[in-house]
Amino acid sequence: MKLSRRLIPDVTTLQAFECAARHGSFTQAAHELNLTQSAVSRQIKDLEEQLGVLLFERVRQRVVLSEDGRRFLPEVRKLLHQTEETMLRAMASASSEHSLSIATLPTFGSRWLTPRIPAFLAQHPGTIVNIASRSAPFDFDEENFDLAIHYGQPVWARAACSYLCSEVILPAASPELLESWNLSEPKDLEAAPLLHLATRPKLWAQWFELNGGASDTAYRGHRFDQFAMVIESAVAGLGFALLPRYLIEQELASGRLAVVFDRPMETQNSYYLVLPEGKLENPLSQAFRAWIAKEVP
C-alpha cells in the first residue's frame, strides 16, 4: 500500500506535541528538547494545520490540551513508543544474522522460558532474541512480534495457535507455614490463609470441590495479579498457594516451598504457541516451535 507523505508527520513534531502536553508548557517542552520556545510553538502550529484541528488552548499562562488534543495524545505516545522499540530492536540485531521477537506471559517467560533459551540459541548461533511480556492477546499488526506464548483458548485474531501443553496446579507453601498448621486432609485448608491469582479467582474453589472441601470459604485471602508475586508470597510464608509445578521447580528443589497435598488439578485452559498469519512460514519461528514443543512439561 502506497503511503501519502502528506499524512505522515515528522517524529520530532510529535515529540514536541507529546512533551508540551506532558508539561502543559511550550517553554518546559523546549527546555527538555533543547529547542527554543518559538521552535516548539512553530512545530505545534504546523501539526495543527496539518491535522486541521486545535490541539491546545491557552489558559492562565499555560497551554491545556483541547478535546481533539486529548484524543490525539494516546495515539502519539503509542506511535513514539513503537518507533523507539523498532529502532532499538534494529540496533540490537544489527550485527546478527537472524532475530526473533517473542511475546510471552510474564512468569512463564522469567521462570521457565528464559532459563532454557540458551539451549535454543546454541542450536541457532548468531540469533538475537527479543523477549517481552504480554498478559493478553494483542494485534500482531500493531506490535512487531514473530510469535507469542498464550494461555487460554486457541483463539487469536489473524493468527494460528499450536497446542503446547496443559497446566496442572497443586497446593504449595513454605515449610515453616506448613509446620505451623496441623493438616491431615485437604478440607483442613479451608481455615488456612490462602493466596490467589487475581486473574483466576476460582482456582481454590474448584480445587476444594475436587477434594471434598467447601468452596464457600475459598475466596478469602490475599490477591496478586502475577504468578511470580504469588510464588514469592508463598515463599515468604504469607499463605498457601495453588501453583503450576513447572513454575516452582527451583523452590521445590531448594526446599523453599513444599507440596502440601499431592492432589494436582488440571486447569480449564492450556498453553499455545501463536504465529501471526503473515509469518507462518518464518523458518526461525518454525524452528522455535519445534524446539519448545520438546521442552514443555
Side-chain angles (χ1 to χ4, degrees):
M1 181 180 66
K2 185 177 180 180
L3 299 177
S4 173
R5 295 179 62 86
R6 184 179 63 82
L7 298 177
I8 302 177
D10 191 289
V11 172
T12 57
T13 300
L14 296 180
Q15 287 178 314
F17 166 70
E18 190 281 331
C19 196
R22 180 159 34 87
H23 288 290
S25 165
F26 288 178
T27 301
Q28 290 297 320
H31 179 72
E32 179 177 323
L33 297 172
N34 197 28
L35 298 171
T36 64
Q37 191 270 350
S38 60
V40 171
S41 180
R42 185 169 60 253
Q43 287 179 319
I44 300 300
K45 181 180 179 181
D46 290 344
L47 184 59
E48 289 177 328
E49 289 179 353
Q50 184 178 14
L51 295 172
V53 298
L54 186 69
L55 296 173
F56 290 96
E57 298 172 352
R58 293 191 176 275
V59 179
R60 298 177 183 176
Q61 306 301 315
R62 297 184 70 248
V63 289
V64 180
L65 283 172
S66 67
E67 186 64 31
D68 287 317
R70 283 193 292 271
R71 285 195 296 266
F72 189 48
L73 181 60
E75 297 299 324
V76 169
R77 284 177 171 160
K78 182 168 70 172
L79 179 59
L80 291 174
H81 175 72
Q82 290 175 340
T83 301
E84 183 181 46
E85 284 289 307
T86 299
M87 291 297 294
L88 290 172
R89 192 176 295 120
M91 292 167 66
S93 60
S95 60
S96 66
E97 296 180 9
H98 307 285
S99 64
L100 187 67
S101 294
I102 304 168
T104 181
L105 300 156
T107 308
F108 182 94
S110 63
R111 287 183 160 261
W112 189 89
L113 178 61
T114 304
R116 290 169 170 80
I117 277 292
F120 174 75
L121 295 179
Q123 298 175 22
H124 301 275
T127 297
I128 293 294
V129 294
N130 168 54
I131 301 177
S133 61
R134 294 292 185 275
S135 298
F138 54 86
D139 189 341
F140 276 104
D141 290 337
E142 295 185 1
E143 301 205 48
N144 189 27
F145 288 102
D146 297 307
L147 57 89
I149 295 170
H150 165 59
Y151 174 81
Q153 295 297 311
V155 177
W156 196 304
R158 297 184 298 281
C161 299
S162 300
Y163 174 82
L164 287 178
C165 63
S166 61
E167 181 183 67
V168 177
I169 58 175
L170 73 174
S174 69
E176 295 77 14
L177 180 65
L178 192 53
E179 289 177 6
S180 69
W181 284 80
N182 183 23
L183 303 174
S184 58
E185 54 184 337
K187 70 178 183 178
D188 294 336
L189 281 170
E190 293 174 10
L194 305 179
L195 304 179
H196 300 268
L197 184 64
T199 54
R200 306 194 212 168
K202 298 180 180 180
L203 286 183
W204 272 112
Q206 293 166 349
W207 188 85
F208 278 129
E209 288 177 5
L210 285 176
N211 292 281
S215 61
D216 55 348
T217 61
Y219 298 94
R220 297 175 294 100
H222 304 291
R223 297 181 183 277
F224 307 88
D225 73 347
Q226 299 290 341
F227 260 137
M229 289 188 279
V230 178
I231 293 169
E232 292 304 318
S233 298
V235 169
L238 200 58
F240 295 85
L242 285 171
L243 298 167
R245 183 185 287 271
Y246 72 90
L247 289 183
I248 54 173
E249 293 170 342
Q250 295 181 2
E251 285 76 12
L252 292 176
S254 66
R256 298 173 69 208
L257 286 178
V259 174
V260 181
F261 294 107
D262 192 12
R263 300 288 187 90
M265 179 183 77
E266 186 171 324
T267 58
Q268 296 176 344
N269 293 316
S270 300
Y271 288 91
Y272 297 88
L273 186 76
V274 185
L275 297 178
E277 289 180 347
K279 299 181 179 181
L280 292 176
E281 303 304 321
N282 182 323
L284 197 54
S285 296
Q286 291 295 336
F288 184 87
R289 180 167 67 175
W291 170 80
I292 197 173
K294 297 177 181 178
E295 294 286 327
V296 289

